[in-house]
Amino acid sequence: MAELATLLESEAQAEVESILAAARSTADSIVQTATEQAKSILDGRKRALENELVVAQVRAKSAADLESAALRLSGNHEATSSAFSQAETELKNFATSSEYKNVLEKLIKEVQGAMGEISKLEVHPNDLANASEVAKNLGLNVPVTANPDIQTGVRAFATTGSTSVTNTLLGRLARAKESLLGDVARVLGS
């Protein structure tokens, strides 16, 4: 009987070992599957986060490029405005120089050529004496009156009185401004 008990115990022990081995194998398989699933989930989330990072970096770069372009444009606009403002100041200062009389003469000749018969000239009060002398030298026997609104040039009125031509350096700068803006922006940008 002792042998039977030993045999049963031995078979029971083998059965227990077999069940434990199957359980360990199943447990290892479950752990391996869970590990693979967890790794797959982690890899998927990592890729999603990396993609989000790339998208965020692209957006940030685009926003930075846009901001940079806006700042350059604003800076160019301010610099361009400043350049034209400085040019206006320089022209006004030039109107107080001794060379300006020759320019005023050319401006008056131009309106004379454009209009033919002139009944009156208007100039800035500071230019009254020079303009009167120039008109006399050009054979224009017309009144030359002061108008503080006319700067760096002359306004001539036709004998009919209904037509006038203003020929000023500031007016020429204003008319040329649109065509010069691109050139000034290129110079400022380089």
Side-chain angles (χ1 to χ4, degrees), residues 67-81:
E67 179 72 16
S68 173
L71 289 173
R72 271 195 314 276
L73 184 60
S74 175
N76 281 350
H77 175 71
E78 289 174 16
T80 301
S81 295

Side-chain angles (χ1 to χ4, degrees), residues 40-56:
S40 176
I41 290 170
L42 285 175
D43 288 346
R45 288 191 178 161
K46 182 179 176 184
R47 280 191 304 276
L49 287 173
E50 287 171 349
N51 289 339
E52 286 180 28
L53 177 62
V54 168
V55 168

Side-chain angles (χ1 to χ4, degrees), residues 80-102:
T80 301
S81 295
S82 176
F84 279 102
S85 178
Q86 183 177 354
E88 287 177 8
T89 300
E90 292 295 325
L91 287 174
K92 288 176 184 176
N93 289 340
F94 176 71
T96 63
S97 71
S98 59
E99 297 92 17
Y100 176 66
K101 183 177 178 181
N102 294 331

Side-chain angles (χ1 to χ4, degrees), residues 127-138:
D127 299 335
L128 201 52
N130 283 337
S132 296
E133 182 182 334
V134 166
K136 185 178 175 185
N137 291 343
L138 292 174

Side-chain angles (χ1 to χ4, degrees), residues 56-70:
Q57 288 173 332
V58 167
R59 284 184 184 153
K61 184 179 181 326
S62 293
D65 289 346
L66 186 59
E67 179 72 16
S68 173

Side-chain angles (χ1 to χ4, degrees), residues 10-189:
S10 183
E11 283 182 18
Q13 186 63 33
E15 188 69 26
V16 168
E17 291 294 326
S18 173
I19 292 171
L20 282 176
R24 282 188 194 111
S25 176
T26 303
D28 287 345
S29 177
I30 291 170
V31 167
Q32 183 179 355
T33 302
T35 301
E36 288 172 1
Q37 287 176 347
K39 185 177 182 307
S40 176
I41 290 170
L42 285 175
D43 288 346
R45 288 191 178 161
K46 182 179 176 184
R47 280 191 304 276
L49 287 173
E50 287 171 349
N51 289 339
E52 286 180 28
L53 177 62
V54 168
V55 168
Q57 288 173 332
V58 167
R59 284 184 184 153
K61 184 179 181 326
S62 293
D65 289 346
L66 186 59
E67 179 72 16
S68 173
L71 289 173
R72 271 195 314 276
L73 184 60
S74 175
N76 281 350
H77 175 71
E78 289 174 16
T80 301
S81 295
S82 176
F84 279 102
S85 178
Q86 183 177 354
E88 287 177 8
T89 300
E90 292 295 325
L91 287 174
K92 288 176 184 176
N93 289 340
F94 176 71
T96 63
S97 71
S98 59
E99 297 92 17
Y100 176 66
K101 183 177 178 181
N102 294 331
V103 172
L104 184 61
E105 180 177 353
K106 290 177 184 176
L107 295 172
I108 292 172
K109 279 182 185 179
E110 286 176 2
V111 294
Q112 184 182 22
M115 296 184 77
E117 295 292 319
I118 297 174
S119 65
K120 175 174 106 171
L121 294 174
E122 286 183 348
V123 293
H124 192 272
N126 296 342
D127 299 335
L128 201 52
N130 283 337
S132 296
E133 182 182 334
V134 166
K136 185 178 175 185
N137 291 343
L138 292 174
L140 292 172
N141 190 18
V142 296
V144 180
T145 60
N147 182 342
D149 293 334
I150 307 297
Q151 295 182 25
T152 70
V154 61
R155 178 184 295 155
F157 292 88
T159 53
T160 61
S162 62
T163 305
S164 70
V165 173
T166 303
N167 192 12
T168 66
L169 298 178
L170 290 176
R172 288 177 178 202
L173 178 64
R175 286 188 300 276
K177 186 175 184 177
E178 285 302 314
S179 64
L180 292 174
L181 280 176
D183 293 336
V184 172
R186 268 191 300 284
V187 168
L188 293 173

